[in-house]
Every structure is written in structure tokens, then in C-alpha cells.
Amino acid sequence: IEALGHSETWPFRTAVLSGPPHSGKSLLARWFAEAGKGEAVDNADSMDETELFHHWNRAQASGTPLLLVSNAQGEGWKIALPDLASRIGAALHLEIGPPDDAMLAELIALHAEQRGLILDEAAAAYLVPRCERSHLGVERLVEAIDRLSLERKQPPTMAIWRDALEEVRGRSRPPLP
């Protein structure tokens, strides 16, 4: 987030933001563009390379910072157009990593709040070490907790948390303690 606020320091005033699904890349790109920081191109890795190259050239000609959002993590974005590949390779690369324990707890609380689901602090303490360490995994977990709670017409308890974890993880693993 700090790097997005200092686009004047980016090589060629261009940055590539990548990360896992549902990690907030598009939200950050919208903030970047709406705050007048520069142009943001979401899903740049799935865009026609010639069109993307034109975006890059226009941004360079106008001096406008360019933020490219990619769903391909690490070295996953393979660019066939050599001139574009060299320019993107020279850009600042920012990556959103997997959430740590504190972020997982916050994501669980946020998704629960968005659903109007009341989870106490014990829920996060139980769920965090057992859940998938991804933004999307937490979203699916809270959705499963909410659905099971509604189906059973009872507040989310440890039994529901455990069943939701097993449902999200699949039945291929041994039951959780």
C-alpha cells in the first residue's frame, strides 16, 4: 500500500501488482485510480498484449503512473511480446502474499460481519490454525459456517465450525480435533 502512494519512485512509473484471488488487488487498483494516483489496468495478464503495450506507451508519453494488476503470481505471467516483456520485467513488482494469523482472524471477522453472522473470539482462535491460509479460503469457510448455522437454525458453535472446516477442506483428510 505504501508503494502505491509513491508511484514517482517506480521504475518507468510502472508497477505490477499480483496476488491470490480475493486478496484485494482490484480494490487497491480502484483506490489507486480514483485517488488520482495514475491509471490502473485490472486483469492485465489476460489482456491482449498489443493493447497492453499501447497502454504502457501512452502512460510513458503522458508521464502517468501505470499500475498493472495480474492474477498470475510470481513468475506465472508469461508475456510473448518481447518488447512488452522487457518493459514489464523492468517495472516494480508488488505481490500480496498469503494472510498471516492476524489477517486471517480479521478476514474471518470481516466476512462474518458482512453476513450479519455473530462469531465470538473463540471462533477465530479455533478457526485460524485450521483454515486454508488464503483470502478465498476464509470467504468460503465463513459462507459455510453461515449456511450451516441457518440450515440447523442454531448459532454458530464449535460443532458448526468443525463441520464447515471439513466441508471446505473436503472429506479426503482425517477429521479435525
Side-chain angles (χ1 to χ4, degrees):
I1 292 173
E2 186 177 321
L4 294 179
H6 299 286
S7 56
E8 69 278 359
T9 65
W10 299 352
F12 303 101
R13 298 181 68 106
T14 304
V16 177
L17 176 63
S18 62
H22 295 247
S23 61
K25 300 179 303 289
S26 296
L27 181 66
L28 288 171
R30 276 194 307 278
W31 168 83
F32 180 80
E34 290 172 3
K37 302 285 185 184
E39 180 186 359
V41 179
D42 204 357
N43 298 314
D45 56 326
S46 60
M47 180 182 253
D48 175 75
E49 290 186 2
T50 302
E51 184 181 341
L52 186 56
F53 192 46
H54 290 308
H55 271 282
W56 192 90
N57 284 331
R58 281 192 301 273
Q60 294 305 303
S62 68
T64 303
L66 179 63
L67 176 63
L68 304 174
V69 178
S70 168
N71 290 315
Q73 293 178 266
E75 300 296 319
W77 187 4
K78 303 297 181 206
I79 302 171
L81 194 61
D83 287 343
L84 180 62
S86 67
R87 285 158 177 82
I88 300 299
L92 175 65
H93 288 262
L94 306 168
E95 186 168 350
I96 298 173
D100 61 13
D101 286 356
M103 174 73 81
L104 285 172
E106 288 178 28
L107 287 170
I108 289 169
L110 174 69
H111 286 292
E113 181 181 318
Q114 288 173 339
R115 292 176 161 277
L117 185 64
I118 299 171
L119 294 177
D120 60 27
E121 290 180 21
Y126 179 80
L127 296 168
V128 165
R130 294 168 175 82
C131 71
E132 179 183 326
R133 303 192 73 73
S134 76
H135 299 82
L136 184 57
V138 168
E139 190 175 324
R140 289 177 178 156
L141 174 61
V142 174
E143 183 277 328
I145 291 170
D146 189 28
R147 185 180 40 71
L148 290 171
S149 181
L150 289 170
E151 286 173 359
R152 297 176 187 178
K153 295 180 173 64
Q154 58 184 195
T157 60
M158 187 175 291
I160 289 177
W161 306 338
R162 187 178 296 123
D163 291 346
L165 281 164
E166 287 187 19
E167 179 181 304
V168 170
R169 293 172 74 207
R171 299 284 179 177
S172 60
R173 296 183 184 170
L176 296 169

